[in-house]
mmCIF file of all heavy atoms in Angstrom:
data_model
loop_
_atom_site.group_PDB
_atom_site.id
_atom_site.type_symbol
_atom_site.label_atom_id
_atom_site.label_comp_id
_atom_site.label_asym_id
_atom_site.label_seq_id
_atom_site.Cartn_x
_atom_site.Cartn_y
_atom_site.Cartn_z
ATOM 1 N N MET S 1 10.918 -26.056 13.321
ATOM 2 C CA MET S 1 9.661 -25.351 13.061
ATOM 3 C C MET S 1 8.621 -25.843 14.092
ATOM 4 O O MET S 1 8.534 -27.031 14.343
ATOM 5 C CB MET S 1 9.206 -25.595 11.648
ATOM 6 C CG MET S 1 8.109 -24.699 11.199
ATOM 7 S SD MET S 1 7.703 -24.958 9.468
ATOM 8 C CE MET S 1 8.246 -23.444 8.789
ATOM 9 N N THR S 2 7.877 -24.941 14.629
ATOM 10 C CA THR S 2 6.884 -25.308 15.627
ATOM 11 C C THR S 2 5.659 -25.941 14.961
ATOM 12 O O THR S 2 5.483 -25.841 13.753
ATOM 13 C CB THR S 2 6.401 -24.060 16.402
ATOM 14 O OG1 THR S 2 5.710 -23.203 15.531
ATOM 15 C CG2 THR S 2 7.557 -23.341 17.034
ATOM 16 N N GLY S 3 4.838 -26.608 15.746
ATOM 17 C CA GLY S 3 3.605 -27.187 15.235
ATOM 18 C C GLY S 3 2.712 -26.159 14.574
ATOM 19 O O GLY S 3 2.082 -26.398 13.543
ATOM 20 N N ARG S 4 2.661 -24.964 15.175
ATOM 21 C CA ARG S 4 1.837 -23.907 14.644
ATOM 22 C C ARG S 4 2.388 -23.441 13.275
ATOM 23 O O ARG S 4 1.633 -23.168 12.349
ATOM 24 C CB ARG S 4 1.755 -22.738 15.596
ATOM 25 C CG ARG S 4 0.931 -21.594 15.069
ATOM 26 C CD ARG S 4 0.722 -20.587 16.126
ATOM 27 N NE ARG S 4 -0.363 -21.097 16.970
ATOM 28 C CZ ARG S 4 -0.965 -20.405 17.896
ATOM 29 N NH1 ARG S 4 -0.615 -19.201 18.157
ATOM 30 N NH2 ARG S 4 -1.941 -20.946 18.609
ATOM 31 N N GLY S 5 3.717 -23.376 13.196
ATOM 32 C CA GLY S 5 4.354 -22.987 11.941
ATOM 33 C C GLY S 5 4.119 -23.964 10.819
ATOM 34 O O GLY S 5 3.883 -23.598 9.678
ATOM 35 N N VAL S 6 4.177 -25.252 11.162
ATOM 36 C CA VAL S 6 3.918 -26.294 10.197
ATOM 37 C C VAL S 6 2.483 -26.219 9.709
ATOM 38 O O VAL S 6 2.209 -26.289 8.505
ATOM 39 C CB VAL S 6 4.234 -27.689 10.787
ATOM 40 C CG1 VAL S 6 3.779 -28.804 9.870
ATOM 41 C CG2 VAL S 6 5.720 -27.818 11.090
ATOM 42 N N LEU S 7 1.549 -26.096 10.641
ATOM 43 C CA LEU S 7 0.140 -26.000 10.281
ATOM 44 C C LEU S 7 -0.132 -24.784 9.393
ATOM 45 O O LEU S 7 -0.892 -24.844 8.443
ATOM 46 C CB LEU S 7 -0.762 -25.996 11.504
ATOM 47 C CG LEU S 7 -0.820 -27.319 12.270
ATOM 48 C CD1 LEU S 7 -1.698 -27.175 13.495
ATOM 49 C CD2 LEU S 7 -1.365 -28.420 11.367
ATOM 50 N N GLY S 8 0.505 -23.670 9.740
ATOM 51 C CA GLY S 8 0.342 -22.460 8.922
ATOM 52 C C GLY S 8 0.871 -22.672 7.513
ATOM 53 O O GLY S 8 0.279 -22.219 6.539
ATOM 54 N N GLY S 9 2.001 -23.373 7.408
ATOM 55 C CA GLY S 9 2.572 -23.658 6.084
ATOM 56 C C GLY S 9 1.660 -24.585 5.291
ATOM 57 O O GLY S 9 1.477 -24.382 4.069
ATOM 58 N N VAL S 10 1.095 -25.572 5.924
ATOM 59 C CA VAL S 10 0.193 -26.508 5.235
ATOM 60 C C VAL S 10 -1.076 -25.741 4.794
ATOM 61 O O VAL S 10 -1.557 -25.916 3.666
ATOM 62 C CB VAL S 10 -0.180 -27.702 6.159
ATOM 63 C CG1 VAL S 10 -1.320 -28.500 5.568
ATOM 64 C CG2 VAL S 10 1.049 -28.547 6.421
ATOM 65 N N ARG S 11 -1.569 -24.871 5.649
ATOM 66 C CA ARG S 11 -2.764 -24.094 5.304
ATOM 67 C C ARG S 11 -2.491 -23.217 4.122
ATOM 68 O O ARG S 11 -3.289 -23.118 3.194
ATOM 69 C CB ARG S 11 -3.199 -23.253 6.518
ATOM 70 C CG ARG S 11 -4.440 -22.432 6.260
ATOM 71 C CD ARG S 11 -4.874 -21.665 7.524
ATOM 72 N NE ARG S 11 -6.101 -20.967 7.307
ATOM 73 C CZ ARG S 11 -6.159 -19.693 6.837
ATOM 74 N NH1 ARG S 11 -5.062 -19.052 6.548
ATOM 75 N NH2 ARG S 11 -7.315 -19.105 6.656
ATOM 76 N N TRP S 12 -1.331 -22.520 4.135
ATOM 77 C CA TRP S 12 -0.950 -21.654 3.014
ATOM 78 C C TRP S 12 -0.890 -22.460 1.728
ATOM 79 O O TRP S 12 -1.430 -22.064 0.706
ATOM 80 C CB TRP S 12 0.399 -20.983 3.285
ATOM 81 C CG TRP S 12 0.916 -20.243 2.091
ATOM 82 C CD1 TRP S 12 0.612 -18.981 1.738
ATOM 83 C CD2 TRP S 12 1.767 -20.759 1.079
ATOM 84 N NE1 TRP S 12 1.233 -18.662 0.561
ATOM 85 C CE2 TRP S 12 1.963 -19.742 0.156
ATOM 86 C CE3 TRP S 12 2.415 -21.992 0.878
ATOM 87 C CZ2 TRP S 12 2.777 -19.896 -0.991
ATOM 88 C CZ3 TRP S 12 3.193 -22.146 -0.248
ATOM 89 C CH2 TRP S 12 3.376 -21.119 -1.139
ATOM 90 N N TYR S 13 -0.231 -23.608 1.769
ATOM 91 C CA TYR S 13 -0.076 -24.454 0.607
ATOM 92 C C TYR S 13 -1.416 -24.898 0.050
ATOM 93 O O TYR S 13 -1.644 -24.815 -1.160
ATOM 94 C CB TYR S 13 0.777 -25.670 0.956
ATOM 95 C CG TYR S 13 0.956 -26.621 -0.169
ATOM 96 C CD1 TYR S 13 1.846 -26.362 -1.197
ATOM 97 C CD2 TYR S 13 0.207 -27.807 -0.237
ATOM 98 C CE1 TYR S 13 2.005 -27.252 -2.260
ATOM 99 C CE2 TYR S 13 0.355 -28.677 -1.303
ATOM 100 C CZ TYR S 13 1.258 -28.388 -2.313
ATOM 101 O OH TYR S 13 1.393 -29.263 -3.356
ATOM 102 N N LEU S 14 -2.278 -25.355 0.909
ATOM 103 C CA LEU S 14 -3.618 -25.808 0.458
ATOM 104 C C LEU S 14 -4.410 -24.667 -0.163
ATOM 105 O O LEU S 14 -5.096 -24.866 -1.188
ATOM 106 C CB LEU S 14 -4.382 -26.431 1.614
ATOM 107 C CG LEU S 14 -3.853 -27.810 2.066
ATOM 108 C CD1 LEU S 14 -4.602 -28.252 3.312
ATOM 109 C CD2 LEU S 14 -3.924 -28.820 0.967
ATOM 110 N N ARG S 15 -4.313 -23.465 0.381
ATOM 111 C CA ARG S 15 -5.057 -22.322 -0.149
ATOM 112 C C ARG S 15 -4.501 -21.940 -1.527
ATOM 113 O O ARG S 15 -5.251 -21.550 -2.409
ATOM 114 C CB ARG S 15 -4.958 -21.117 0.791
ATOM 115 C CG ARG S 15 -5.797 -21.294 2.041
ATOM 116 C CD ARG S 15 -5.576 -20.188 3.073
ATOM 117 N NE ARG S 15 -5.555 -18.852 2.514
ATOM 118 C CZ ARG S 15 -6.618 -18.169 2.111
ATOM 119 N NH1 ARG S 15 -7.799 -18.718 2.212
ATOM 120 N NH2 ARG S 15 -6.487 -16.953 1.621
ATOM 121 N N GLU S 16 -3.192 -22.089 -1.719
ATOM 122 C CA GLU S 16 -2.595 -21.805 -3.025
ATOM 123 C C GLU S 16 -2.999 -22.835 -4.048
ATOM 124 O O GLU S 16 -3.354 -22.518 -5.196
ATOM 125 C CB GLU S 16 -1.075 -21.723 -2.922
ATOM 126 C CG GLU S 16 -0.559 -20.558 -2.130
ATOM 127 C CD GLU S 16 -0.915 -19.213 -2.767
ATOM 128 O OE1 GLU S 16 -0.819 -19.072 -3.996
ATOM 129 O OE2 GLU S 16 -1.294 -18.299 -2.029
ATOM 130 N N VAL S 17 -2.967 -24.104 -3.684
ATOM 131 C CA VAL S 17 -3.271 -25.199 -4.591
ATOM 132 C C VAL S 17 -4.754 -25.183 -4.990
ATOM 133 O O VAL S 17 -5.069 -25.407 -6.150
ATOM 134 C CB VAL S 17 -2.903 -26.554 -3.951
ATOM 135 C CG1 VAL S 17 -3.448 -27.712 -4.761
ATOM 136 C CG2 VAL S 17 -1.406 -26.672 -3.817
ATOM 137 N N THR S 18 -5.612 -24.908 -4.050
ATOM 138 C CA THR S 18 -7.043 -24.945 -4.351
ATOM 139 C C THR S 18 -7.571 -23.667 -4.995
ATOM 140 O O THR S 18 -8.695 -23.642 -5.501
ATOM 141 C CB THR S 18 -7.874 -25.172 -3.057
ATOM 142 O OG1 THR S 18 -7.664 -24.069 -2.160
ATOM 143 C CG2 THR S 18 -7.530 -26.476 -2.406
ATOM 144 N N GLY S 19 -6.773 -22.612 -4.989
ATOM 145 C CA GLY S 19 -7.189 -21.357 -5.605
ATOM 146 C C GLY S 19 -7.962 -20.435 -4.664
ATOM 147 O O GLY S 19 -8.447 -19.383 -5.065
ATOM 148 N N GLU S 20 -8.039 -20.836 -3.435
ATOM 149 C CA GLU S 20 -8.817 -20.040 -2.443
ATOM 150 C C GLU S 20 -8.214 -18.658 -2.279
ATOM 151 O O GLU S 20 -8.932 -17.661 -2.160
ATOM 152 C CB GLU S 20 -8.850 -20.772 -1.096
ATOM 153 C CG GLU S 20 -9.843 -20.201 -0.144
ATOM 154 C CD GLU S 20 -11.268 -20.350 -0.593
ATOM 155 O OE1 GLU S 20 -11.609 -21.285 -1.333
ATOM 156 O OE2 GLU S 20 -12.104 -19.515 -0.170
ATOM 157 N N SER S 21 -6.901 -18.564 -2.286
ATOM 158 C CA SER S 21 -6.257 -17.237 -2.103
ATOM 159 C C SER S 21 -6.533 -16.322 -3.306
ATOM 160 O O SER S 21 -6.758 -15.108 -3.135
ATOM 161 C CB SER S 21 -4.756 -17.398 -1.873
ATOM 162 O OG SER S 21 -4.155 -17.971 -3.000
ATOM 163 N N ARG S 22 -6.562 -16.886 -4.524
ATOM 164 C CA ARG S 22 -6.886 -16.084 -5.724
ATOM 165 C C ARG S 22 -8.334 -15.592 -5.659
ATOM 166 O O ARG S 22 -8.644 -14.461 -6.049
ATOM 167 C CB ARG S 22 -6.619 -16.879 -6.985
ATOM 168 C CG ARG S 22 -5.133 -17.044 -7.281
ATOM 169 C CD ARG S 22 -4.914 -17.708 -8.580
ATOM 170 N NE ARG S 22 -5.386 -19.087 -8.607
ATOM 171 C CZ ARG S 22 -4.673 -20.133 -8.183
ATOM 172 N NH1 ARG S 22 -3.468 -19.979 -7.729
ATOM 173 N NH2 ARG S 22 -5.195 -21.339 -8.265
ATOM 174 N N TRP S 23 -9.229 -16.467 -5.210
ATOM 175 C CA TRP S 23 -10.652 -16.095 -5.112
ATOM 176 C C TRP S 23 -10.819 -14.946 -4.124
ATOM 177 O O TRP S 23 -11.527 -13.973 -4.407
ATOM 178 C CB TRP S 23 -11.464 -17.314 -4.684
ATOM 179 C CG TRP S 23 -12.864 -17.044 -4.266
ATOM 180 C CD1 TRP S 23 -13.369 -17.173 -3.012
ATOM 181 C CD2 TRP S 23 -13.929 -16.574 -5.091
ATOM 182 N NE1 TRP S 23 -14.694 -16.819 -3.022
ATOM 183 C CE2 TRP S 23 -15.055 -16.456 -4.267
ATOM 184 C CE3 TRP S 23 -14.050 -16.251 -6.423
ATOM 185 C CZ2 TRP S 23 -16.293 -16.040 -4.753
ATOM 186 C CZ3 TRP S 23 -15.263 -15.837 -6.905
ATOM 187 C CH2 TRP S 23 -16.380 -15.713 -6.075
ATOM 188 N N GLU S 24 -10.159 -15.029 -2.978
ATOM 189 C CA GLU S 24 -10.283 -13.968 -1.965
ATOM 190 C C GLU S 24 -9.671 -12.667 -2.466
ATOM 191 O O GLU S 24 -10.191 -11.578 -2.209
ATOM 192 C CB GLU S 24 -9.643 -14.398 -0.658
ATOM 193 C CG GLU S 24 -10.517 -15.462 0.035
ATOM 194 C CD GLU S 24 -9.886 -15.972 1.317
ATOM 195 O OE1 GLU S 24 -8.790 -15.508 1.704
ATOM 196 O OE2 GLU S 24 -10.519 -16.827 1.958
ATOM 197 N N ALA S 25 -8.574 -12.757 -3.212
ATOM 198 C CA ALA S 25 -7.969 -11.550 -3.783
ATOM 199 C C ALA S 25 -8.910 -10.916 -4.810
ATOM 200 O O ALA S 25 -9.032 -9.699 -4.899
ATOM 201 C CB ALA S 25 -6.631 -11.898 -4.434
ATOM 202 N N TYR S 26 -9.570 -11.749 -5.599
ATOM 203 C CA TYR S 26 -10.554 -11.276 -6.570
ATOM 204 C C TYR S 26 -11.702 -10.539 -5.878
ATOM 205 O O TYR S 26 -12.102 -9.437 -6.299
ATOM 206 C CB TYR S 26 -11.077 -12.443 -7.422
ATOM 207 C CG TYR S 26 -12.299 -12.101 -8.215
ATOM 208 C CD1 TYR S 26 -12.219 -11.272 -9.339
ATOM 209 C CD2 TYR S 26 -13.546 -12.590 -7.850
ATOM 210 C CE1 TYR S 26 -13.352 -10.951 -10.070
ATOM 211 C CE2 TYR S 26 -14.685 -12.284 -8.575
ATOM 212 C CZ TYR S 26 -14.584 -11.459 -9.677
ATOM 213 O OH TYR S 26 -15.707 -11.116 -10.395
ATOM 214 N N LEU S 27 -12.220 -11.130 -4.808
ATOM 215 C CA LEU S 27 -13.324 -10.494 -4.076
ATOM 216 C C LEU S 27 -12.884 -9.164 -3.490
ATOM 217 O O LEU S 27 -13.642 -8.177 -3.540
ATOM 218 C CB LEU S 27 -13.837 -11.413 -2.977
ATOM 219 C CG LEU S 27 -14.566 -12.683 -3.438
ATOM 220 C CD1 LEU S 27 -14.948 -13.536 -2.231
ATOM 221 C CD2 LEU S 27 -15.802 -12.323 -4.263
ATOM 222 N N ALA S 28 -11.668 -9.113 -2.944
ATOM 223 C CA ALA S 28 -11.155 -7.872 -2.384
ATOM 224 C C ALA S 28 -11.005 -6.794 -3.468
ATOM 225 O O ALA S 28 -11.339 -5.628 -3.254
ATOM 226 C CB ALA S 28 -9.818 -8.102 -1.696
ATOM 227 N N ARG S 29 -10.544 -7.179 -4.658
ATOM 228 C CA ARG S 29 -10.393 -6.231 -5.756
ATOM 229 C C ARG S 29 -11.767 -5.704 -6.179
ATOM 230 O O ARG S 29 -11.913 -4.508 -6.429
ATOM 231 C CB ARG S 29 -9.710 -6.961 -6.923
ATOM 232 C CG ARG S 29 -8.680 -6.175 -7.602
ATOM 233 C CD ARG S 29 -7.893 -6.912 -8.673
ATOM 234 N NE ARG S 29 -8.393 -8.158 -9.188
ATOM 235 C CZ ARG S 29 -7.920 -9.385 -8.843
ATOM 236 N NH1 ARG S 29 -6.927 -9.476 -7.992
ATOM 237 N NH2 ARG S 29 -8.407 -10.437 -9.373
ATOM 238 N N CYS S 30 -12.744 -6.569 -6.280
ATOM 239 C CA CYS S 30 -14.095 -6.130 -6.657
ATOM 240 C C CYS S 30 -14.648 -5.167 -5.636
ATOM 241 O O CYS S 30 -15.259 -4.145 -6.008
ATOM 242 C CB CYS S 30 -15.026 -7.348 -6.790
ATOM 243 S SG CYS S 30 -14.707 -8.317 -8.277
ATOM 244 N N GLU S 31 -14.473 -5.468 -4.359
ATOM 245 C CA GLU S 31 -14.961 -4.582 -3.314
ATOM 246 C C GLU S 31 -14.270 -3.209 -3.363
ATOM 247 O O GLU S 31 -14.898 -2.179 -3.277
ATOM 248 C CB GLU S 31 -14.752 -5.207 -1.946
ATOM 249 C CG GLU S 31 -15.327 -4.378 -0.830
ATOM 250 C CD GLU S 31 -15.202 -5.070 0.519
ATOM 251 O OE1 GLU S 31 -15.069 -6.295 0.562
ATOM 252 O OE2 GLU S 31 -15.234 -4.354 1.537
ATOM 253 N N ARG S 32 -12.963 -3.247 -3.563
ATOM 254 C CA ARG S 32 -12.177 -2.007 -3.643
ATOM 255 C C ARG S 32 -12.628 -1.136 -4.843
ATOM 256 O O ARG S 32 -12.733 0.055 -4.740
ATOM 257 C CB ARG S 32 -10.690 -2.331 -3.759
ATOM 258 C CG ARG S 32 -9.793 -1.111 -3.825
ATOM 259 C CD ARG S 32 -8.362 -1.482 -4.129
ATOM 260 N NE ARG S 32 -8.287 -1.948 -5.494
ATOM 261 C CZ ARG S 32 -7.624 -3.020 -5.876
ATOM 262 N NH1 ARG S 32 -6.987 -3.767 -5.016
ATOM 263 N NH2 ARG S 32 -7.605 -3.388 -7.136
ATOM 264 N N ASP S 33 -12.895 -1.818 -5.991
ATOM 265 C CA ASP S 33 -13.271 -1.093 -7.198
ATOM 266 C C ASP S 33 -14.772 -0.818 -7.303
ATOM 267 O O ASP S 33 -15.202 -0.152 -8.230
ATOM 268 C CB ASP S 33 -12.828 -1.908 -8.435
ATOM 269 C CG ASP S 33 -11.320 -2.031 -8.511
ATOM 270 O OD1 ASP S 33 -10.598 -1.261 -7.844
ATOM 271 O OD2 ASP S 33 -10.856 -2.932 -9.231
ATOM 272 N N GLY S 34 -15.540 -1.344 -6.364
ATOM 273 C CA GLY S 34 -16.986 -1.095 -6.374
ATOM 274 C C GLY S 34 -17.706 -1.865 -7.493
ATOM 275 O O GLY S 34 -18.707 -1.401 -8.008
ATOM 276 N N VAL S 35 -17.184 -3.055 -7.804
ATOM 277 C CA VAL S 35 -17.726 -3.876 -8.889
ATOM 278 C C VAL S 35 -18.408 -5.084 -8.292
ATOM 279 O O VAL S 35 -17.919 -5.680 -7.325
ATOM 280 C CB VAL S 35 -16.589 -4.329 -9.855
ATOM 281 C CG1 VAL S 35 -17.106 -5.240 -10.936
ATOM 282 C CG2 VAL S 35 -15.882 -3.131 -10.412
ATOM 283 N N ARG S 36 -19.534 -5.466 -8.872
ATOM 284 C CA ARG S 36 -20.220 -6.684 -8.408
ATOM 285 C C ARG S 36 -19.405 -7.906 -8.875
ATOM 286 O O ARG S 36 -19.149 -8.070 -10.069
ATOM 287 C CB ARG S 36 -21.610 -6.761 -9.030
ATOM 288 C CG ARG S 36 -22.454 -7.904 -8.471
ATOM 289 C CD ARG S 36 -23.824 -7.982 -9.187
ATOM 290 N NE ARG S 36 -24.125 -9.358 -9.465
ATOM 291 C CZ ARG S 36 -23.784 -10.064 -10.553
ATOM 292 N NH1 ARG S 36 -23.128 -9.462 -11.506
ATOM 293 N NH2 ARG S 36 -24.104 -11.287 -10.700
ATOM 294 N N PRO S 37 -18.987 -8.771 -7.959
ATOM 295 C CA PRO S 37 -18.167 -9.927 -8.343
ATOM 296 C C PRO S 37 -18.999 -11.017 -9.004
ATOM 297 O O PRO S 37 -20.195 -11.119 -8.833
ATOM 298 C CB PRO S 37 -17.609 -10.410 -7.012
ATOM 299 C CG PRO S 37 -18.588 -9.964 -6.007
ATOM 300 C CD PRO S 37 -19.177 -8.686 -6.524
ATOM 301 N N MET S 38 -18.279 -11.826 -9.785
ATOM 302 C CA MET S 38 -18.905 -13.005 -10.367
ATOM 303 C C MET S 38 -19.142 -14.013 -9.246
ATOM 304 O O MET S 38 -18.553 -13.883 -8.167
ATOM 305 C CB MET S 38 -17.918 -13.683 -11.353
ATOM 306 C CG MET S 38 -17.604 -12.913 -12.584
ATOM 307 S SD MET S 38 -16.494 -13.852 -13.683
ATOM 308 C CE MET S 38 -14.939 -13.045 -13.318
ATOM 309 N N THR S 39 -19.964 -14.959 -9.501
ATOM 310 C CA THR S 39 -20.139 -16.049 -8.529
ATOM 311 C C THR S 39 -18.874 -16.891 -8.578
ATOM 312 O O THR S 39 -18.080 -16.803 -9.509
ATOM 313 C CB THR S 39 -21.342 -16.952 -8.893
ATOM 314 O OG1 THR S 39 -21.077 -17.589 -10.139
ATOM 315 C CG2 THR S 39 -22.633 -16.142 -8.972
ATOM 316 N N ARG S 40 -18.674 -17.727 -7.579
ATOM 317 C CA ARG S 40 -17.496 -18.591 -7.571
ATOM 318 C C ARG S 40 -17.476 -19.475 -8.798
ATOM 319 O O ARG S 40 -16.411 -19.691 -9.397
ATOM 320 C CB ARG S 40 -17.492 -19.420 -6.268
ATOM 321 C CG ARG S 40 -16.304 -20.370 -6.138
ATOM 322 C CD ARG S 40 -15.033 -19.599 -5.907
ATOM 323 N NE ARG S 40 -13.858 -20.387 -5.899
ATOM 324 C CZ ARG S 40 -13.153 -20.703 -4.810
ATOM 325 N NH1 ARG S 40 -13.532 -20.245 -3.653
ATOM 326 N NH2 ARG S 40 -12.073 -21.420 -4.896
ATOM 327 N N ARG S 41 -18.593 -19.957 -9.196
ATOM 328 C CA ARG S 41 -18.684 -20.831 -10.373
ATOM 329 C C ARG S 41 -18.295 -20.078 -11.638
ATOM 330 O O ARG S 41 -17.535 -20.578 -12.452
ATOM 331 C CB ARG S 41 -20.089 -21.394 -10.502
ATOM 332 C CG ARG S 41 -20.263 -22.302 -11.659
ATOM 333 C CD ARG S 41 -21.679 -22.848 -11.749
ATOM 334 N NE ARG S 41 -21.574 -24.221 -12.141
ATOM 335 C CZ ARG S 41 -22.491 -25.124 -11.948
ATOM 336 N NH1 ARG S 41 -23.604 -24.791 -11.362
ATOM 337 N NH2 ARG S 41 -22.311 -26.345 -12.335
ATOM 338 N N GLU S 42 -18.815 -18.857 -11.813
ATOM 339 C CA GLU S 42 -18.473 -18.040 -12.964
ATOM 340 C C GLU S 42 -16.984 -17.725 -12.972
ATOM 341 O O GLU S 42 -16.337 -17.749 -14.030
ATOM 342 C CB GLU S 42 -19.270 -16.729 -12.962
ATOM 343 C CG GLU S 42 -20.745 -16.906 -13.186
ATOM 344 C CD GLU S 42 -21.516 -15.640 -12.901
ATOM 345 O OE1 GLU S 42 -21.089 -14.808 -12.075
ATOM 346 O OE2 GLU S 42 -22.607 -15.488 -13.517
ATOM 347 N N TYR S 43 -16.435 -17.411 -11.802
ATOM 348 C CA TYR S 43 -15.039 -17.077 -11.681
ATOM 349 C C TYR S 43 -14.163 -18.262 -12.093
ATOM 350 O O TYR S 43 -13.218 -18.092 -12.868
ATOM 351 C CB TYR S 43 -14.740 -16.674 -10.233
ATOM 352 C CG TYR S 43 -13.281 -16.472 -9.923
ATOM 353 C CD1 TYR S 43 -12.635 -15.294 -10.299
ATOM 354 C CD2 TYR S 43 -12.558 -17.462 -9.260
ATOM 355 C CE1 TYR S 43 -11.288 -15.119 -10.006
ATOM 356 C CE2 TYR S 43 -11.239 -17.272 -8.970
ATOM 357 C CZ TYR S 43 -10.603 -16.122 -9.348
ATOM 358 O OH TYR S 43 -9.269 -15.941 -9.068
ATOM 359 N N GLU S 44 -14.451 -19.437 -11.609
ATOM 360 C CA GLU S 44 -13.659 -20.613 -11.936
ATOM 361 C C GLU S 44 -13.796 -20.960 -13.425
ATOM 362 O O GLU S 44 -12.835 -21.355 -14.064
ATOM 363 C CB GLU S 44 -14.063 -21.804 -11.083
ATOM 364 C CG GLU S 44 -13.723 -21.665 -9.629
ATOM 365 C CD GLU S 44 -12.221 -21.517 -9.349
ATOM 366 O OE1 GLU S 44 -11.384 -21.896 -10.201
ATOM 367 O OE2 GLU S 44 -11.890 -21.044 -8.238
ATOM 368 N N ARG S 45 -14.973 -20.760 -13.980
ATOM 369 C CA ARG S 45 -15.190 -21.024 -15.420
ATOM 370 C C ARG S 45 -14.341 -20.040 -16.232
ATOM 371 O O ARG S 45 -13.712 -20.410 -17.228
ATOM 372 C CB ARG S 45 -16.646 -20.895 -15.750
ATOM 373 C CG ARG S 45 -16.985 -21.211 -17.191
ATOM 374 C CD ARG S 45 -16.815 -22.707 -17.442
ATOM 375 N NE ARG S 45 -16.418 -22.890 -18.786
ATOM 376 C CZ ARG S 45 -15.685 -23.898 -19.233
ATOM 377 N NH1 ARG S 45 -15.275 -24.818 -18.398
ATOM 378 N NH2 ARG S 45 -15.351 -23.990 -20.484
ATOM 379 N N HIS S 46 -14.339 -18.781 -15.828
ATOM 380 C CA HIS S 46 -13.539 -17.755 -16.522
ATOM 381 C C HIS S 46 -12.058 -18.108 -16.462
ATOM 382 O O HIS S 46 -11.352 -18.029 -17.498
ATOM 383 C CB HIS S 46 -13.811 -16.379 -15.867
ATOM 384 C CG HIS S 46 -12.983 -15.293 -16.400
ATOM 385 N ND1 HIS S 46 -13.196 -14.777 -17.684
ATOM 386 C CD2 HIS S 46 -11.936 -14.621 -15.882
ATOM 387 C CE1 HIS S 46 -12.311 -13.812 -17.891
ATOM 388 N NE2 HIS S 46 -11.535 -13.709 -16.828
ATOM 389 N N ARG S 47 -11.548 -18.508 -15.320
ATOM 390 C CA ARG S 47 -10.139 -18.886 -15.199
ATOM 391 C C ARG S 47 -9.850 -20.085 -16.056
ATOM 392 O O ARG S 47 -8.777 -20.174 -16.707
ATOM 393 C CB ARG S 47 -9.820 -19.209 -13.752
ATOM 394 C CG ARG S 47 -9.775 -17.982 -12.855
ATOM 395 C CD ARG S 47 -9.213 -18.270 -11.494
ATOM 396 N NE ARG S 47 -7.853 -18.725 -11.602
ATOM 397 C CZ ARG S 47 -7.388 -19.857 -11.060
ATOM 398 N NH1 ARG S 47 -8.157 -20.623 -10.338
ATOM 399 N NH2 ARG S 47 -6.133 -20.200 -11.209
ATOM 400 N N SER S 48 -10.734 -21.046 -16.100
ATOM 401 C CA SER S 48 -10.543 -22.235 -16.932
ATOM 402 C C SER S 48 -10.480 -21.861 -18.424
ATOM 403 O O SER S 48 -9.643 -22.358 -19.160
ATOM 404 C CB SER S 48 -11.655 -23.215 -16.677
ATOM 405 O OG SER S 48 -11.557 -24.354 -17.496
#
């Protein structure tokens, strides 16, 4: 695996672990549906 591939894998893993990818998917869904999104704090509280 190349250095770029390893870094990409690490980046993907960190985004999954931290929830960043879920947050971005939520924002995209809100934009698509024309809904005002919650703040990041509200979103994390709701998930919790």
Side-chain angles (χ1 to χ4, degrees):
M1 192 176 248
T2 66
R4 180 171 281 191
V6 171
L7 290 177
V10 170
R11 182 177 183 271
W12 172 86
Y13 178 77
L14 289 174
R15 288 173 44 76
E16 292 297 319
V17 170
T18 62
E20 192 66 27
S21 62
R22 286 185 296 274
W23 168 247
E24 289 177 0
Y26 167 72
L27 291 176
R29 223 174 15 256
C30 286
E31 184 176 337
R32 182 187 68 226
D33 297 341
V35 177
R36 186 184 138 270
M38 294 182 258
T39 64
R40 179 70 186 252
R41 181 180 220 160
E42 292 168 333
Y43 173 79
E44 293 298 341
R45 183 71 210 150
H46 176 71
R47 288 189 63 233
S48 177

